[in-house]
Amino acid sequence: MADDFPKTYLNHPDQWLFKDLLDRIFAEPDPDRITESVVSFLRARPLPMDDFPVLDNTYSRTMLGRHENGYEAMAARWQAGAVSSIHGHPCYALMVTVHGRLHVENYEKSRGRLQMTSSRILAPGEFISAKSPNTGFDNHIHGVKAIEETLSIHISSQDATKGEIFSRQAVLR
Ligand SMILES: [Fe+2]
């Protein structure tokens, strides 16, 4: 991993423990083990929200670790009411809420249109993890809205910013 991770404001000691964990689990990545390890860590040591920057009316992204095999970890600090795009992910993706609450809407794609299939609220310590055999960036499509100020941790098997972005016009009503 590059030496300049993590980049945080307050440099809380748990950030360095978390970085050590990421170094270990990304070196021999096994999605089920990553989910178990990351969720257990964050439930025991919830990284402090104030270690991450605030962006008004939206969310900030802070990279916490990235392995040359593509696995990466990112922290998102959401202002209340902030909304993500509707987006896809690489084959493995994990999202854990550390503080606050997120509302997540899940979609399925068929013939270029999106159908909402389910929604749920993620409270602190709750997570969504997904694996797919599809190596593209249109897996596990969802849109996220922060119900309140929230910190969430996101792990992906490839660069998450390559996730396919969908227009809200593509959603079937
Ligand atoms: Fe996502």
Side-chain angles (χ1 to χ4, degrees):
M1 287 201 190
D3 289 337
D4 55 350
F5 293 125
K7 280 188 178 135
T8 61
Y9 275 16
L10 296 181
N11 216 12
H12 191 280
D14 285 350
Q15 301 275 15
W16 293 98
L17 291 175
F18 192 54
K19 180 184 183 300
D20 287 345
L21 176 75
L22 295 174
D23 284 342
R24 285 201 306 276
I25 58 182
F26 287 175
E28 293 177 54
D30 170 332
D32 293 334
R33 179 167 162 252
I34 291 174
T35 298
E36 206 275 323
S37 309
V38 168
V39 171
S40 305
F41 180 99
L42 292 171
R43 285 176 177 167
R45 295 176 180 272
L47 298 177
M49 183 128 69
D50 286 343
D51 249 26
F52 300 93
V54 172
L55 285 182
D56 281 344
N57 304 318
T58 181
Y59 58 93
S60 67
R61 302 171 89 260
T62 303
M63 293 308 299
L64 299 177
R66 183 181 281 144
H67 194 277
E68 59 202 11
N69 60 19
Y71 273 78
E72 63 172 36
M74 181 271 286
R77 180 174 180 174
W78 306 72
Q79 292 303 89
V83 179
S84 78
S85 62
I86 298 176
H87 59 274
H89 302 83
C91 54
Y92 168 70
L94 166 67
M95 167 167 67
V96 189
T97 298
V98 182
H99 306 283
R101 282 183 305 151
L102 297 175
H103 183 258
V104 183
E105 291 182 338
N106 298 303
Y107 296 88
E108 262 170 29
K109 184 167 82 166
S110 108
R111 281 180 259 143
R113 305 298 302 272
L114 295 180
Q115 179 83 54
M116 192 173 80
T117 52
S118 62
S119 70
R120 66 172 287 193
I121 288 171
L122 280 187
E126 295 183 340
F127 67 97
I128 294 173
S129 80
K131 286 187 291 186
S132 163
N134 173 4
T135 56
F137 285 87
D138 60 349
N139 301 295
H140 336 303
I141 299 164
H142 66 197
V144 181
K145 178 173 183 174
I147 298 168
E148 57 197 75
E149 191 175 18
T150 296
L151 179 70
S152 55
I153 301 295
H154 303 252
I155 313 277
S156 321
S157 51
Q158 294 291 328
D159 181 353
T161 62
K162 292 183 182 162
E164 187 172 343
I165 307 285
F166 297 88
S167 159
R168 293 197 180 267
Q169 267 82 53
V171 177
L172 294 165
R173 308 269 166 202

